[in-house]
Amino acid sequence: MAARGRGRRKAWAVVIGLGVVLALVSYLAVRFIRSTASDECTAHGADGMAVSLDLDQASHAATIAAVAHARGLPERAVTVALATAIQESKLRDLGYGDRDSLGLFQQRPSQGWGTPAQIRDPVYATGRFFDALVKVPDYLGLPVTVAAQQVQHSGYPQAYAQHEDMAATLADVLTGREGPALNCTVSGAPAASGEASATGGGDGAGAAGSVPGGESGVAAAVRREFGGAPAAVSVAGSGSVSYPIPPDRAATGWSLALWLVCHATALHATSVTFDGRRWTSTASDRGWTHTASAPGTGRAGAVAVNLGENTEGPV
């Protein structure tokens, strides 16, 4: 009887032990899934459509919108470019493709698009796409798939049409027309500023190269992609960079603010503030929260980005 009792106790101990192990595994699995799923950006269009991208894809989508802004191109051009990049690479800076195709738009060095290194630079690749697009007669009046095909000469000319709605939503949001309509959730706060990549790395090595961390790095990245963005105002040693935005250029302010959020991890940005709203990396799941200053007061007329450990930033 004593041996039988000891046997039952051992069996129960094994069951309990297995239960503890399974519970721990389940807990860790849920934590892993949550942390992985949290690293994404979601854009909400005016028509109610929601588009979710991972951080790498979102950074490239924001770069396409920024290069269009620098060139003074309309939202329709952004839609065409985004639909093309979604079809060609799923918004990734690919280091491979059909024959010698590379990058966001799967451009071919052998067809005169540039060197492999140039094509792997998302800013350069986007610029070359727009160079060709604006030469297409009446491209703004053409269906997206027709305009894209005039540039790409794809073997699947109708393929771009399937991405038009997604591209139009992203273009609407990333050009700033809908205000704080995009949020990126990140699983951890960026490290202190060191070396920051100006663009997402994707499948490659960050072809645009790295820019110095800190205030000068952010200013250089914004200048390179946005071109005509307002001059940066840095507060020495504060880890803060601010971009004054005229009252009649709110869409530009939001486009820049959203670009900064999409690139926050690469630039080590911990908060972005504009027009009475703030995004922070440490509470990114809360989205754009209201700041102490109401819109139109205080520093609401500037896009402010903070770096490193300073997450509060000017308002």
Side-chain angles (χ1 to χ4, degrees):
M1 292 293 292
R4 189 180 302 166
R6 286 195 296 273
R8 280 199 295 265
R9 285 196 294 273
K10 287 181 180 179
W12 277 111
V14 170
V15 171
I16 293 171
L18 286 174
V20 171
V21 170
L22 288 173
L24 179 60
V25 169
S26 298
Y27 170 77
L28 292 174
V30 170
R31 285 292 300 272
F32 174 77
I33 292 170
R34 285 179 177 173
S35 66
T36 302
S38 69
D39 287 8
E40 67 176 15
C41 301
T42 302
H44 295 276
D47 60 357
M49 182 176 183
V51 176
S52 292
L53 305 171
D54 65 30
L55 299 182
D56 183 54
Q57 293 170 309
S59 70
H60 293 139
T63 287
I64 289 171
V67 173
H69 177 275
R71 291 168 174 245
L73 297 177
E75 186 177 313
R76 182 68 172 179
V78 180
T79 298
V80 175
L82 286 169
T84 303
I86 293 168
Q87 169 60 28
E88 297 290 353
S89 69
K90 293 184 171 60
L91 285 169
R92 299 198 186 281
D93 186 20
L94 299 179
Y96 56 87
D98 178 46
R99 288 170 283 188
D100 58 339
S101 300
L102 296 168
L104 283 178
F105 297 93
Q106 289 292 277
Q107 295 157 332
R108 298 179 60 193
S110 64
Q111 300 301 306
W113 286 99
T115 67
Q118 287 174 324
I119 292 172
R120 294 297 310 286
D121 175 350
V123 179
Y124 173 90
T126 302
R128 286 304 309 274
F129 178 86
F130 284 136
D131 286 343
L133 180 65
V134 297
K135 294 177 183 176
V136 175
D138 190 34
Y139 80 91
L140 293 175
L142 295 175
V144 164
T145 194
V146 175
Q149 175 63 5
Q150 289 293 310
V151 176
Q152 297 295 105
H153 305 292
S154 169
Y156 304 93
Q158 299 304 318
Y160 306 105
Q162 64 188 312
H163 307 295
E164 181 170 357
D165 289 345
M166 179 179 180
T169 294
L170 287 171
D172 182 28
V173 171
L174 290 171
T175 54
R177 199 149 57 86
E178 303 303 325
L182 176 144
N183 180 51
C184 295
T185 54
V186 294
S187 56
S193 299
E195 288 292 318
S197 172
T199 62
D203 284 61
S210 60
V211 295
E215 298 149 55
S216 61
V218 171
V222 171
R223 200 162 47 244
R224 182 168 192 265
E225 299 203 19
F226 261 85
V233 177
S234 298
V235 180
S238 71
S240 174
V241 182
S242 173
Y243 292 87
I245 303 295
D248 61 344
R249 300 285 300 278
T252 295
W254 277 114
S255 184
L256 176 57
L258 297 179
W259 180 91
L260 287 164
V261 168
C262 288
H263 289 85
T265 299
L267 295 173
H268 304 294
T270 53
S271 74
V272 179
T273 306
F274 179 61
D275 199 24
R277 306 291 287 273
R278 174 181 289 140
W279 174 92
T280 63
S281 62
T282 53
S284 58
D285 59 316
R286 296 174 57 195
W288 290 88
T289 60
H290 290 279
T291 63
S293 295
T297 65
R299 300 197 44 138
V303 176
V305 54
N306 291 320
L307 313 168
E309 298 180 357
N310 180 8
T311 60
E312 289 306 310
V315 178

